[in-house]
Amino acid sequence: MSTAPVLPETAAVYWRPRLDAARLRRRELGWTLSTFAHTIPFLAVAALMLYLEPLSFPVAAIAIVHAWGIPALYANRGACVVRPRPRADDGSERTALGLLGDLLGHEARELHARTGLALERGSLGVWLVGEAGALLVRPGGRRVDCWCVQAKPMTSGARPMDADLPSADRTAHLLLALREDEAGFATVANLAFSGGTWRLRHRLPKPMRPALAAARAIS
Amino acid sequence: MDQTGHTTLAEWTPGDAAAVEAAAIAFREELDRGLYAVVSTGEGHAEQVRELPEGAELVILRRPIAGG
């Protein structure tokens, strides 16, 4: 019988099988096949149009743009999970940064200061934890999975009990949950995108790109 | 961790029974609100606790997470 800690939030998504390396690989394969399914028909149409009538190249070009654009839109959705959210007041942000800094090692703290992402090594790969999501750079660094997940607001009935958290606190809540149970964290989170790291890199805000490079370097 | 950055709910030392009891009450109230208590257990690892660990240096209360 396993005594590994289980994230209690997984009970809220009881219908999802607990994620492990093999299940994650299958989901990634599904994303790859889906990308081909979105891309190949448009490329085939473009090739067929040019073969039948070279003057139809504008239509072929539109088909090629679709073949490029649909995966790019998915990558954009993936990048959105770590885009910065509105800031709280300066005092709260400083306090929250202090606590997050205590949780991180020196290098990760410095990387977070530059990029806004907290780097965390895990068994599934290298995580970059943001305010409302996390990126998982898989071993080898060629594939990245983008997870949409956030700290839930505390409510009393329908009324929120807390105002918005400072950005570093939002990251710290996710980081602690990830450290408790990596597989549980990935089970609770929604997979927004899985694909080539190069595809995501272009969609990330520029200040965050060094974090992706750092994760790739050690994955 | 809250909207102010963080708030210290209780401080105690293992030998001080009154402080430990006050901390345990505060701890239980926050768990009843739906928060989870976490203790760091080394670099990159954390453990959820359901009772106040008297010997812990720091207990952090975190919110539940959910897919966005």
Side-chain angles (χ1 to χ4, degrees), chain A residues 7-9 92 95 99 120 148-154 161-162 164-166 169 172-173 179-180 188 190, chain B residues 1-6 33-36 38 40 44-48 60-68:
Chain A
L7 206 66
E9 291 94 324
S92 305
T95 307
L99 182 63
E120 183 76 14
C148 193
V149 58
Q150 53 194 312
K152 284 167 68 174
M154 302 303 294
M161 284 164 67
D162 297 327
D164 278 343
L165 292 170
D169 257 3
H173 281 284
R179 285 179 174 180
E180 271 182 59
V188 169
N190 293 331
Chain B
M1 293 180 282
D2 55 21
Q3 67 270 30
T4 67
H6 69 79
R33 279 181 68 203
L35 294 168
Y36 296 120
V38 181
S40 280
H45 296 283
E47 183 186 347
Q48 192 192 339
I60 302 175
L61 293 154
R62 72 164 181 86
R63 292 182 181 184
I65 63 165

